[in-house]
Structure formats: structure tokens, C-alpha cells
Amino acid sequence: PFFLLNELDLMSIKSISTIKDYADVNDSILNKIHEVDYTSGYISSNGIIKGKNVQIDNSVKLIAPIVILDDIKVSKNCTIGPNVIVSNNVFIENNTSISNSIICDNTYVGTNLNFDNKIVVENKIIDKDSYSQYEVDSSLLGVNDKILV
């Protein structure tokens, strides 16, 4: 979420060169969510920031803090949050729970999945504690090729 970086005190991070650096920056954004001035077109309410073209089913439970960027669809009966960043062009299927995690750009997240303390990149899951990486079948996770209208 680069639109937030200018507002945060991230001087201690010299560069983002590891997965840990990336996770730390995202955690800093979530920890200071109430202090940030938002980019035009974004909606902020009670610790939840929503971007443009965001479609969230009425049955979805959102628990702050959450940053949801542009071109996102979240289907029925999902729980998102707390401490979640959903990047651009993400499609999340029914009955999925995501907490303390980062869903990266252009990712499809399948039905009935549960992510806690993970970084999800296309069909890979990275554990935020051990930084171990796991490749997952593309029917569960993959590149989002869905057209979001």
C-alpha cells in the first residue's frame, strides 16, 4: 500500500529487500492506520480502509484494522481481519477467513480457506513467523484472472 508509506515513520527501514522487511512495513501501516491521511477515492471508517471498485458481500464480517485496495471482490460468508491488507485485483471466494495476513496483488483465493499470519502471493503461502514458503494447488490459490466489474 504505497499510498500510505509517505505518512509513516519508516526511517528505520533502509530498504525492503526481504520478506521480513515487507511484512514489517505492512504491520507498521496497520499499527498506525488511524494516523494516516488517505488517498483521494479511498473510504475510511472505524479502522477499515476501502479502495475503488470494492465489492464485499453483505454477509462478510470485517474486523479492523484492514486495508482493502482497488478492484477487490469478497464473496459470501468470509471473515476478513483483524490486521489484514488485501492488495489490488484480488478475488476471495466463499467461506474464507483471513487474519493477520497480507494478500498480494493479482491473487485468487479459493473457497473454504483459513489464513492466519500468512503472506499470500498467487499460489504461494509464506508463513510470517518462519518465512517458510509453500506452493499450493492453483484450484485453491493462484493468479486472479477474474474480471471484476
Side-chain angles (χ1 to χ4, degrees), residues 56-72:
I56 299 176
D57 187 84
N58 290 334
S59 65
V60 172
K61 183 176 181 180
L62 299 175
I63 306 167
I66 304 171
V67 175
I68 300 173
L69 295 180
D70 298 337
D71 302 315
I72 308 299

Side-chain angles (χ1 to χ4, degrees), residues 41-104:
Y42 284 76
I43 299 167
S44 173
S45 176
N46 299 320
I48 298 172
I49 300 170
K50 294 181 192 172
K52 301 170 191 165
N53 191 29
V54 173
Q55 302 170 37
I56 299 176
D57 187 84
N58 290 334
S59 65
V60 172
K61 183 176 181 180
L62 299 175
I63 306 167
I66 304 171
V67 175
I68 300 173
L69 295 180
D70 298 337
D71 302 315
I72 308 299
K73 182 172 183 181
V74 182
S75 299
K76 295 179 181 176
N77 301 316
C78 292
T79 300
I80 309 295
N83 303 310
V84 170
I85 294 180
V86 180
S87 298
N88 295 302
N89 193 35
V90 171
F91 183 47
I92 302 171
E93 290 275 14
N94 298 329
N95 304 311
T96 292
S97 178
I98 303 169
S99 59
N100 305 302
S101 296
I102 303 162
I103 308 298
C104 295

